[in-house]
Structures are given as C-alpha cells and as structure tokens.
Amino acid sequence: GKSGYDHYMLKEIHEQPTAIRQCLHERVVELEREIAVDSVASLSVPDRVQLVACGTSYHAALYGTRLLRERGVPATAFLASEYDVDAVPVDRETLVIGVTQSGETADTMTALREANSVGATTLAVTNVVGSSAARECDRAMYVRAGPEIGVAATKTFVSQQIALVVLASELTGEYDVDLVGALRDLPGQLQSVLDDSRARTVAEEYLDADAYFFIGRSYNAPVALEGALKMKEITYKHAEGFAAGELKHGPLALVTDRTPVFALVTEGANPTKTIGNVKEVETRGAPVVAVTDGCSDVERYADFVLEVPETHPALAPVLANVQLQLVSYWVANDLGRSIDKPRNLAKSVTVE
Ligand code: M6R
C-alpha cells in the first residue's frame, strides 16, 4: 500500500534515504575506506565505456559518464534508441553498460544485444533481479531500490546515481576518501531535504506558469534534464531542461515573467558561471528558484531558495534532484493530475 501517502510517487520519494542505504550495503565499507562491488570486482579498467539508456535512466547515465571521465575513463552516454542509428563504434575492449530500472526496456535491450554481438563486455545496472537485461549481459549490478510502483522514476533514479558512483570507483580503483565519507552521510542529508523542503510553497507560487525551465552545469546538467522530464510527465505542463550555457543559444527567447527558471547552483559545478545565467533571466523578469548548497551569493538574485546540505561535489546533484522531484509532485498534486499513472505513459516500455 501507500503507507499513508496520497500517492506512490510521494511514498517512493520518501523511501530514497533507505534506497541509498540498500544500494551501499556491503559495497562501501566506511571503516576500511573501501568500495567493493562483487559483480564487477574482477573486471579490468576498460579502454572505454558506453552507457545506453532511455528517459530518466539516460539522465543517470549522463551523470555516470562524468564520474568515469573524472577518473580518466573515456565514457559516453547514448540514448538506447539512437545507439544503432548512430553506428557507434564498439569493440571487445569496450564496456557497455545498460542502465535500466526495469531491465525490460526494448530500446535498451536492442542496444545491449548489439553490443554483445560484437563481443563487447556488457553490464546491466538494473533494479530487477533476473530481468531481461540482467540475463542478456555478462554481468549485473543491482541498484536495490525496491519495487517502484509510480510510473515516474524517483527512488530508482537516486539508486542508479549511487550505483554509478560506487561502480565508477570500483572499476577504476579510485577510492576518494572524502566521497566515501560523504556517501555515509548522504541518507541523513536526503532525509533533512525531505523534512525541510519548501518545494510545496514554490509549487503553489508558480502553479499558473506558462513553462518551467531548469538549468545546471557539469554534474548538475543531467539533473536539469531530469527535473524537466519529471515536470512534464506528471503535470502535463511544458518544461525544458538544459545545460546552463545553452540558455543564450536559443531558449532565452522563451523566458518571460511567466516562466520560472530553476537554477542548480552547487559547489564544484561552476556556480559563478551559472549565476551569470541567472542574472540573464532575472533581467528579463523571470522568477528564479535557486536550488543551492549556499556555496555562492545566488540567493541575491533568487525569488526562492531550495536548500540542500553541503556534501561532496559529485553528490550535490543527488540532493538537488530531490527538491525538483518535490516541486513537480506538488504542482501535479495541486493540478489534480493522475500522478502515479500519467496519461499515455507506461511503467515499462517494451516496444521500440
Ligand atoms: O526501466 P527503464 O529504466 O529502462 O525505463 C526507461 C524509461 O522508460 C524511464 O526511465 C522513464 O523515463 C521514467 N519512468 C520517467 O519517469
């Protein structure tokens, strides 16, 4: 059941601290400052990594590429539906990772089969034990979010992010001590975001908006995309997310006083440059909602601030994303939408 929540989505948003703990269990041994993932322990550092995924899982994959590149591994994320179309070069030295909550998404399965057919090493990062992706791939790493009922992916996205953090560390042997410590604190910090969030107030304030924009750089760029996807799918309102630098290459023309802009501004993700973009939209009368860890003076330009606790720069987007989930949830709730089963959408997309 929904355990007293009005929707599975809200319940699952609140299950995220637990989802993180489950994902880390026996993988991150804080005392020994060590990360160990059985399913990939014997893999050598790959020449290159390709991540294939759809939708929200693609946003997790984009986040994963950054974690890997930071550790010196060339990594690229592909929309699974474009993988064959793009004629991506793939060979035996490539590790292809399918990021798929359900493990049943048709496009992702097609991409993984193609990778297997040319002899690449394949790994499924999935939530479902024994799913098609888990069976198709050479290896499987389970994200352990527990069953997700809401069509909107929430806790599985967080679990994918955490799984990719530990995977990137394990694959490369780079155990960042600060990151390990920050992982330990993350569930409690996420809980504090849930307890203290002002997302409901923000949602009410901008319920009549024409459109919602989401901007962020670096680690936060995938979260900007994810914030917009969540907003679209459960509220049916127009939303766009993009890397903040793209703003002046087109989208700025859409910005008015009826298009709130959510700016992700956290330590280590080029806050100064993103504040530059914030000023550009503020000048044009757009309401600004800053999702920030207090690393800058962005609140001077913001109409609302949604705070996240300070953490390791690589984990800030995990917390920032939760604020965006809550904003979308409350907008959808206040508009009376069918939150757990949005129109036209299915939980598992088993046709190409
Ligand atoms: O099961 P998968 O992770 O492969 O699903 C991929 C997408 O269909 C999925 O992430 C979808 O975008 C979300 N349900 C949206 O919230």
Short mmCIF file of all heavy atoms in Angstrom, two decimals, residues 25 29 31 53 61 99-100 142 152 171 176 188-189 199 230 260 266 273 294 337 341 348:
data_model
loop_
_atom_site.label_atom_id
_atom_site.label_comp_id
_atom_site.label_asym_id
_atom_site.label_seq_id
_atom_site.Cartn_x
_atom_site.Cartn_y
_atom_site.Cartn_z
N HIS A 25 24.91 -0.99 0.87
CA HIS A 25 25.12 -2.06 1.83
C HIS A 25 26.20 -3.05 1.38
O HIS A 25 26.12 -3.63 0.31
CB HIS A 25 23.80 -2.81 2.06
CG HIS A 25 23.91 -3.87 3.10
ND1 HIS A 25 24.15 -3.59 4.43
CD2 HIS A 25 23.85 -5.21 3.00
CE1 HIS A 25 24.22 -4.71 5.10
NE2 HIS A 25 24.03 -5.72 4.26
N VAL A 29 32.51 0.14 2.58
CA VAL A 29 32.87 -0.18 3.96
C VAL A 29 33.63 1.03 4.49
O VAL A 29 34.82 1.19 4.24
CB VAL A 29 33.76 -1.46 4.00
CG1 VAL A 29 33.95 -1.91 5.44
CG2 VAL A 29 33.13 -2.56 3.16
N LEU A 31 34.63 2.09 7.40
CA LEU A 31 35.75 1.95 8.33
C LEU A 31 37.03 1.61 7.58
O LEU A 31 38.09 2.11 7.89
CB LEU A 31 35.46 0.84 9.34
CG LEU A 31 34.67 1.28 10.56
CD1 LEU A 31 34.46 0.11 11.51
CD2 LEU A 31 35.38 2.43 11.28
N ALA A 53 20.75 3.89 -22.43
CA ALA A 53 19.59 4.01 -21.55
C ALA A 53 18.53 4.91 -22.18
O ALA A 53 18.80 5.58 -23.19
CB ALA A 53 20.02 4.59 -20.20
N ALA A 61 22.66 7.89 -16.67
CA ALA A 61 23.81 7.50 -17.48
C ALA A 61 24.71 8.72 -17.76
O ALA A 61 25.94 8.62 -17.71
CB ALA A 61 23.35 6.86 -18.78
N VAL A 99 21.79 0.97 -18.48
CA VAL A 99 21.19 1.48 -17.24
C VAL A 99 19.68 1.40 -17.42
O VAL A 99 19.11 2.12 -18.24
CB VAL A 99 21.65 2.93 -16.96
CG1 VAL A 99 21.11 3.40 -15.62
CG2 VAL A 99 23.17 3.03 -16.98
N THR A 100 19.05 0.49 -16.72
CA THR A 100 17.62 0.28 -16.91
C THR A 100 16.99 -0.22 -15.62
O THR A 100 17.32 -1.32 -15.15
CB THR A 100 17.33 -0.67 -18.09
OG1 THR A 100 15.95 -1.05 -18.06
CG2 THR A 100 18.21 -1.91 -18.11
N TYR A 142 22.96 -4.77 -9.24
CA TYR A 142 21.59 -4.38 -8.83
C TYR A 142 21.61 -3.11 -8.00
O TYR A 142 22.45 -2.95 -7.12
CB TYR A 142 20.95 -5.54 -8.07
CG TYR A 142 20.74 -6.73 -8.99
CD1 TYR A 142 21.52 -7.88 -8.87
CD2 TYR A 142 19.81 -6.67 -10.02
CE1 TYR A 142 21.37 -8.95 -9.75
CE2 TYR A 142 19.65 -7.73 -10.90
CZ TYR A 142 20.43 -8.86 -10.76
OH TYR A 142 20.27 -9.90 -11.64
N ALA A 152 6.50 7.49 -12.66
CA ALA A 152 7.63 8.42 -12.58
C ALA A 152 8.76 7.77 -11.78
O ALA A 152 8.57 7.37 -10.64
CB ALA A 152 7.21 9.72 -11.93
N LEU A 171 35.45 0.29 -10.65
CA LEU A 171 36.03 -0.01 -11.97
C LEU A 171 37.42 0.56 -12.12
O LEU A 171 38.28 -0.03 -12.77
CB LEU A 171 35.16 0.59 -13.07
CG LEU A 171 34.07 -0.26 -13.71
CD1 LEU A 171 33.39 0.53 -14.81
CD2 LEU A 171 34.64 -1.56 -14.26
N ASP A 176 37.98 7.70 -3.54
CA ASP A 176 38.11 9.04 -2.98
C ASP A 176 37.59 9.00 -1.53
O ASP A 176 36.41 8.75 -1.30
CB ASP A 176 37.29 9.99 -3.88
CG ASP A 176 37.19 11.39 -3.34
OD1 ASP A 176 37.48 11.61 -2.15
OD2 ASP A 176 36.82 12.27 -4.13
N GLY A 188 21.08 10.59 5.54
CA GLY A 188 20.60 11.53 6.55
C GLY A 188 20.37 12.91 5.95
O GLY A 188 19.40 13.60 6.28
N GLN A 189 21.27 13.32 5.06
CA GLN A 189 21.11 14.63 4.42
C GLN A 189 19.88 14.65 3.52
O GLN A 189 19.15 15.63 3.47
CB GLN A 189 22.37 14.95 3.61
CG GLN A 189 23.58 15.19 4.48
CD GLN A 189 24.79 15.59 3.66
OE1 GLN A 189 25.05 15.02 2.60
NE2 GLN A 189 25.53 16.57 4.13
N ALA A 199 9.50 23.11 -1.18
CA ALA A 199 9.06 22.85 -2.55
C ALA A 199 7.55 23.08 -2.71
O ALA A 199 7.09 23.56 -3.75
CB ALA A 199 9.43 21.43 -2.96
N LYS A 230 10.51 15.12 -15.25
CA LYS A 230 9.55 14.83 -14.19
C LYS A 230 8.39 15.81 -14.25
O LYS A 230 7.23 15.44 -14.14
CB LYS A 230 10.27 14.93 -12.84
CG LYS A 230 9.89 13.91 -11.83
CD LYS A 230 10.67 12.62 -11.85
CE LYS A 230 10.53 11.86 -13.11
NZ LYS A 230 11.35 10.66 -13.19
N PRO A 260 9.13 30.45 -14.68
CA PRO A 260 10.13 30.32 -13.63
C PRO A 260 11.33 29.49 -14.10
O PRO A 260 11.17 28.53 -14.85
CB PRO A 260 9.39 29.60 -12.49
CG PRO A 260 8.08 29.20 -13.02
CD PRO A 260 7.82 29.93 -14.29
N THR A 266 25.55 24.54 -7.17
CA THR A 266 26.22 23.85 -6.06
C THR A 266 27.73 23.85 -6.25
O THR A 266 28.24 24.02 -7.35
CB THR A 266 25.72 22.38 -5.91
OG1 THR A 266 26.00 21.66 -7.12
CG2 THR A 266 24.24 22.32 -5.61
N LYS A 273 29.54 30.72 -13.10
CA LYS A 273 29.00 30.81 -14.46
C LYS A 273 27.49 30.65 -14.46
O LYS A 273 26.79 31.32 -15.23
CB LYS A 273 29.63 29.73 -15.35
CG LYS A 273 31.02 30.06 -15.81
CD LYS A 273 31.46 29.11 -16.90
CE LYS A 273 32.79 29.53 -17.48
NZ LYS A 273 33.24 28.59 -18.51
N GLY A 294 24.41 26.84 -0.72
CA GLY A 294 24.98 28.00 -0.04
C GLY A 294 26.41 28.29 -0.43
O GLY A 294 27.12 29.01 0.27
N ARG A 337 -3.59 16.07 -11.01
CA ARG A 337 -3.19 15.11 -12.04
C ARG A 337 -3.18 13.66 -11.50
O ARG A 337 -3.11 13.43 -10.31
CB ARG A 337 -1.78 15.43 -12.56
CG ARG A 337 -1.60 16.81 -13.13
CD ARG A 337 -2.51 17.06 -14.32
NE ARG A 337 -2.09 18.26 -15.02
CZ ARG A 337 -2.92 19.19 -15.49
NH1 ARG A 337 -4.22 19.09 -15.32
NH2 ARG A 337 -2.44 20.24 -16.13
N LYS A 341 -0.09 7.34 -12.42
CA LYS A 341 -0.28 6.78 -13.75
C LYS A 341 -0.58 7.91 -14.72
O LYS A 341 -1.71 8.10 -15.16
CB LYS A 341 -1.46 5.81 -13.76
CG LYS A 341 -1.18 4.44 -13.18
CD LYS A 341 -2.44 3.57 -13.36
CE LYS A 341 -2.36 2.28 -12.59
NZ LYS A 341 -1.26 1.41 -13.00
N SER A 348 6.79 0.33 -17.92
CA SER A 348 7.85 -0.38 -18.61
C SER A 348 7.55 -0.33 -20.12
O SER A 348 6.45 -0.70 -20.54
CB SER A 348 7.87 -1.82 -18.08
OG SER A 348 8.94 -2.53 -18.65
#
